[in-house]
Structure formats: C-alpha cells, structure tokens
Amino acid sequence: MSTGRISLMELKAVENVEDISSDQSMLHELWPLDEVDPKKARFPCCLVWTPLPVVSWLAPFIGHVGICREDGTIFDFAGSNFVNVDDFAYGSVARYVQLDREQCCFPPNLSGHTCKSGYKHSENGTAMTWDDALRSSMNHFEHKSYNLFTCNCHSYVANCLNRLCYGGTLGWNMINVAILVLFKGRWVDAMAVVRSFFPFTLVICLGITMAGWPFVVGLASFSLLLMSWFVLGTYCAKNLLEC
C-alpha cells in the first residue's frame, strides 16, 4: 500500500516537472518576425540609426540610435524623461542592424539563466522577453536627464542590450553600440547614404574654400577629442557616463 502511494507521488512529481518544462518552453518560444519594412518604419528586433542635425555634419560617425520591438516599432531616448515610441526623432531611419533573439538570455527564474553571468544579470535587471527589456529600460530612462555627452540614446540602447544579456555579455555601452551599428549596419537605400554624408561633404568643401586646410585639421581635432571623451569616459571613468 505504501509502495503504491510512493509511486503515485512520484508520478505526480514527474507530471509537475513536465508541466513546468512545457510552460517554460512555451514562454520562450521565439515566433517568426515580420520582414523589415523601411516604408512603414518597421524594423523588428533591430538597432536603427539616423544622422543628427549639425553634430553629424561635423562628425558623420555620430548619430541618433534607437532599438525596435519585435513588431518593428522604434523606441528611442530623445529627451529628458522621455522615450519616443513609434516616432523616431531626427528623421527616418538611415541604417539598421537586425539582432538575433537566440543570443539573448530570457530567464524564467534565478536558476534558468542561459548566460554565464546569472547572478549579475539578475542584479542588473533581466527580461522575460525582448519587448519586456525595452519596456523596463523605458521606465528607467523616463526618470533620466538627457545629455549628449553623458546620458544619451546610446545609453538607452546599451541598457536594453544588458537587460537581454545580448551575446552573453553585460558590457554593452555607448562605444560598442556605436561600433555595432557602424560596422554591421545596413543602409536603407542610396538616399540614406546621401542624407548622411552630403552635409558633411558640403561643410568640408566650404571650410577648405574659406579657411584652407587648417579647417580640416581643426575638424579632425574636434572628432578626435569627441571620441577620446567617450572612450575615456566609458572605460576609464565608468561612473561618469553611467545613467
């Protein structure tokens, strides 16, 4: 009689484990994404970029960055206490890079991490789904002051990627987000290239015509100082650019 009871209890335990495993697999099943559609401004699970007025005219490698939901809606940190939803600031998307959700960590609980930084990932903030990470970061940045040099759109995107532990790392920051878009990004069309580089080319031509080559040296020095600020602030004085 006792043996029968033990067998029944064991059977129920196995069924519970199977139910939990089934629920977890359903929870983390990644459904197919729609195609990227620039005309409708839909970029599922993408990082998107557009040039900034004036700033990109002087340094074309700098621009405004956003991250998109699974349905392609763009989220971008565009001002103090404000995250844009489906209204990308500073113009239409010029380039994008689509990310792979398989490289994210979606832990159902503290023991369900697929990344190597389980405890630290939980401590920094985790997400159950891709869209959940974007919403959590949006709630966080709705209480942040925007500053081009210390807390900007790249900071928001980096925060999202850290919540996702994208690529198995929690080290996303302004620099590697910018590098990812710069080297992996795809141009939307030929006009996006023109829109991004024509103002810079015009500024260079006018500068050389009016001031000669010293203008180019000055512009290069400006770009170098700008890059040095972000690199040093990110890797040497981390608290300076954390937000």
Side-chain angles (χ1 to χ4, degrees), residues 227-238 241:
M227 287 190 293
S228 299
W229 164 260
F230 287 118
V231 171
L232 293 174
T234 298
Y235 296 106
C236 300
K238 294 185 178 181
L241 300 187

Side-chain angles (χ1 to χ4, degrees), residues 8 20 28 42 58 77 84 88 106 109 112 124 131 133 135 138 156 167 192 194 199 231 237:
L8 184 60
I20 292 171
H28 297 288
R42 288 293 179 262
L58 303 177
F77 182 46
N84 258 333
F88 198 34
F106 299 123
N109 49 57
N124 288 356
D131 290 352
R135 284 192 296 268
M138 180 176 69
Y156 170 70
V194 174
V231 171

Side-chain angles (χ1 to χ4, degrees), residues 113-141:
H113 284 265
T114 57
C115 63
K116 297 179 180 179
S117 309
Y119 178 76
K120 191 175 180 182
H121 187 195
S122 297
E123 197 175 38
N124 288 356
T126 60
M128 298 292 287
T129 65
W130 178 279
D131 290 352
D132 181 43
L134 272 60
R135 284 192 296 268
S136 298
S137 292
M138 180 176 69
N139 293 336
H140 177 72
F141 275 80

Side-chain angles (χ1 to χ4, degrees), residues 84-96:
N84 258 333
V85 179
D86 202 20
D87 185 20
F88 198 34
Y90 307 110
S92 59
V93 173
R95 64 193 314 184
Y96 66 94

Side-chain angles (χ1 to χ4, degrees), residues 56-109:
S56 297
W57 302 352
L58 303 177
F61 55 87
I62 294 179
H64 184 64
V65 176
I67 186 169
C68 305
R69 281 191 322 213
E70 290 177 305
D71 66 358
T73 302
I74 303 173
F75 282 50
D76 61 300
F77 182 46
S80 295
N81 312 314
F82 178 65
V83 175
N84 258 333
V85 179
D86 202 20
D87 185 20
F88 198 34
Y90 307 110
S92 59
V93 173
R95 64 193 314 184
Y96 66 94
V97 53
Q98 191 164 45
L99 303 182
D100 180 9
R101 291 171 297 169
E102 295 285 352
Q103 295 190 43
C104 301
C105 175
F106 299 123
N109 49 57

Side-chain angles (χ1 to χ4, degrees), residues 202-220:
L202 185 61
V203 167
I204 288 288
C205 293
L206 289 175
I208 293 176
T209 301
M210 298 175 66
W213 288 104
F215 174 81
V216 177
V217 174
L219 192 58

Side-chain angles (χ1 to χ4, degrees), residues 12-198:
K12 287 182 177 179
V14 170
E15 288 176 349
N16 289 336
V17 170
E18 288 177 348
D19 289 342
I20 292 171
S21 299
S22 176
D23 290 342
Q24 290 180 359
S25 63
M26 289 176 64
L27 181 65
H28 297 288
E29 184 178 356
L30 302 177
W31 54 84
L33 298 174
D34 292 334
E35 294 293 327
V36 169
D37 189 348
K39 292 183 179 179
K40 294 182 179 179
R42 288 293 179 262
F43 299 85
C45 294
C46 291
L47 302 189
V48 291
W49 181 94
T50 194
L52 281 168
V54 182
V55 178
S56 297
W57 302 352
L58 303 177
F61 55 87
I62 294 179
H64 184 64
V65 176
I67 186 169
C68 305
R69 281 191 322 213
E70 290 177 305
D71 66 358
T73 302
I74 303 173
F75 282 50
D76 61 300
F77 182 46
S80 295
N81 312 314
F82 178 65
V83 175
N84 258 333
V85 179
D86 202 20
D87 185 20
F88 198 34
Y90 307 110
S92 59
V93 173
R95 64 193 314 184
Y96 66 94
V97 53
Q98 191 164 45
L99 303 182
D100 180 9
R101 291 171 297 169
E102 295 285 352
Q103 295 190 43
C104 301
C105 175
F106 299 123
N109 49 57
L110 290 175
S111 61
H113 284 265
T114 57
C115 63
K116 297 179 180 179
S117 309
Y119 178 76
K120 191 175 180 182
H121 187 195
S122 297
E123 197 175 38
N124 288 356
T126 60
M128 298 292 287
T129 65
W130 178 279
D131 290 352
D132 181 43
L134 272 60
R135 284 192 296 268
S136 298
S137 292
M138 180 176 69
N139 293 336
H140 177 72
F141 275 80
E142 283 179 340
H143 303 283
K144 296 293 181 180
S145 296
Y146 183 94
N147 187 305
L148 178 65
F149 299 102
T150 58
C151 186
N152 55 39
C153 54
H154 289 72
S155 308
Y156 170 70
V157 172
N159 189 275
C160 291
L161 295 180
N162 283 326
R163 288 181 190 275
L164 294 165
C165 197
Y166 186 75
T169 178
L170 299 174
W172 290 99
N173 53 51
M174 294 185 192
I175 300 298
N176 48 30
V177 166
I179 290 174
L180 178 61
V181 175
L182 184 64
F183 290 101
K184 296 291 186 178
R186 299 178 58 182
W187 294 101
V188 170
D189 52 32
M191 280 306 299
V193 180
V194 174
R195 182 162 58 90
S196 300
F197 290 103
F198 178 73

